Amino acid sequence: MDQEEENQQEEDLERTQINVLAVQAITSLVLSAMSIPVAGNPAVSCLEQQPRNKTLKVLETRFGRKLCVIRGIVEREIQAMVSKRDNIATHFPYQAWDPVPSLSSSITGTLISHEKLLLQINTEREMGNMDYKLGQVSIHSVWLGNNITPLREEEWDEDEEDDTDVPAPTSPPTSPINSRKHRAGVDIHSCSQFLLELYSQWILPNSPNNKKTPVVLISEVVRSLLAVSDLFTERNQFEMMFSTLTELQKVHPAEDEILNQYLVPAICKAAAVLGMDKAIAEPVSRLLETTLRSTHMPSRIGALHGILYVLECDLLDDTAKQLIPIISEYLLSNLRGIAHCVSLHNQQHVLVMCAAAFYMIENYPLDVGPEFTAGIIQMCGVMVSGSEEATPSVIYHCVLRGLERLLLSEQLSRLDAEALVKLSVERVNMPSPHRAMAALGLMLTCMYTGNTQEHCSPPQTGGCVLIFILSLSFVSSARLSDAWQALSLVPVCLTIFKLLLASSGACSSVT
């Protein structure tokens, strides 16, 4: 009898492992529909990205377009240098420095170059990493692609709707999401609906199959649902996802932290798509507050991803007043403790914290207040000023990109902006080539900040300032151990120098 029970346990374990592998394989196959330009062919395609960061309006002005040209040159050089440097230590080539699959006006989607998405890619995403990540598809793009109206808007009174001055779109919006139903001849809607119903049967508390579902399989199912939901096409799918996962969260032991790291962001994602009205916001806020106090690092990282989903849905005032102080306190206390030596801390945790802080400052400036903004700027300065051993390159570039967005979004005080100018001047003289170039990008952005309106005068880039920038760039080049890399920066600096002269009209002052 004991032998039979042992054999049965082994068979159950093997069956569970097979089911977990099957769920992982199905998830990968479904996500391959997000590949652009050829769906389902990872050899010649990359997963589509639709960043949460909105397009910066200042980049559409006359001087903003000039900044895009100059800053795009710097961005390409940074990417090239980081790619070559990283490839030295690994035999895996980085696939996609050149194309970034993203939302476009085309029904089928296109590959867009990095400089055309300048400072728009999710801040926490590592440069050159094209793998699937949480936040791959933004909440706004889900609304756009599926014609989903946030729940709270449906509850507005007719008078409030009349008072809201929202221009009607001249033509229906297009999104690559809509075309996924027909990519590569696969009915994506039916696939995602089948998986949602199957997963619900496995994990629903009142389902007869739930008692037979092992915990490890439930965790994998929730993880799969979190990813596959990027391809949902109807509002009721997100409603079913939210209700199913909420029921699971109520009955499942809170001590199961492995499940919570997927369950919390999945619930937040569904809630954000549905609109985060008061009925949804209260339990979600309590869930996030509890998870942020967890000692399990992956659970806290999952909560931060959930926070990014929730923040993107334009929180109601009451919800923002309840949730944002909790998030602000968490970010300040944690970043303050690790700023001097980031390398000793979990890298992903730091990246997501920085992304959340930058997003809150840009989109919720009144809720976070000037003290939070000043504290974040100060700690970012400490992180960026650290040595290469203290601050990894991934975090260095993440912080600088976030600071540039804040400058261009005009959410910084004059004092904070001046601090960034000083920081960029100091960092552009670093011995590391890609770090010096990233600081040069920040310096260029500082030069154009405040001069992006059409009626403003050109940036005050007189000969002394231009020569100063050029000399600093050459100093950083001269310190490189690789002479060929130093020589490759010379034409880049000269090109930037020429463009700056053309935009400022300072040719006579230099000559």
Side-chain angles (χ1 to χ4, degrees), residues 386-411:
S387 63
E388 292 193 46
E389 292 76 18
T391 305
S393 296
V394 174
I395 295 174
Y396 180 89
H397 288 288
C398 164
V399 171
L400 285 189
R401 290 199 305 270
L403 294 176
E404 283 191 71
R405 272 198 68 91
L406 293 183
L407 274 172
L408 293 173
S409 63
E410 300 179 349
Q411 296 298 341

Side-chain angles (χ1 to χ4, degrees), residues 182-230:
H182 311 289
R183 285 185 186 176
V186 178
D187 187 353
I188 297 301
H189 172 71
S190 297
C191 292
S192 60
Q193 183 65 30
F194 169 77
L195 287 178
L196 178 60
E197 294 175 358
L198 175 63
Y199 290 167
S200 298
Q201 292 177 9
W202 282 352
I203 63 180
L204 272 177
N206 57 357
S207 172
N209 296 328
N210 178 259
K211 296 180 180 179
K212 301 178 182 179
T213 306
V215 175
V216 63
L217 181 57
I218 293 178
S219 297
E220 191 60 44
V221 163
V222 174
R223 181 182 181 184
S224 173
L225 191 58
L226 178 57
V228 171
S229 58
D230 281 342

Side-chain angles (χ1 to χ4, degrees), residues 88-138:
I88 294 175
T90 176
H91 62 281
F92 293 107
Y94 275 81
Q95 175 184 2
W97 277 115
D98 297 331
V100 176
S102 186
L103 182 66
S104 68
S105 58
S106 171
I107 291 292
T108 58
T110 58
L111 295 177
I112 301 177
S113 60
H114 277 76
E115 57 268 22
K116 291 184 180 180
L117 283 177
L118 183 65
L119 304 178
Q120 192 175 347
I121 295 176
N122 288 347
T123 312
E124 75 276 11
R125 179 175 284 274
E126 181 180 354
M127 298 178 68
N129 189 330
M130 305 303 289
D131 296 335
Y132 180 86
K133 301 287 185 182
L134 294 183
Q136 188 88 12
V137 175
S138 67

Side-chain angles (χ1 to χ4, degrees), residues 37-58:
V38 183
N41 189 347
V44 295
S45 306
C46 302
L47 290 179
E48 176 185 343
Q49 296 179 35
Q50 297 185 27
R52 75 177 69 89
N53 292 321
K54 302 176 181 66
T55 303
L56 293 165
K57 294 181 180 179
V58 295

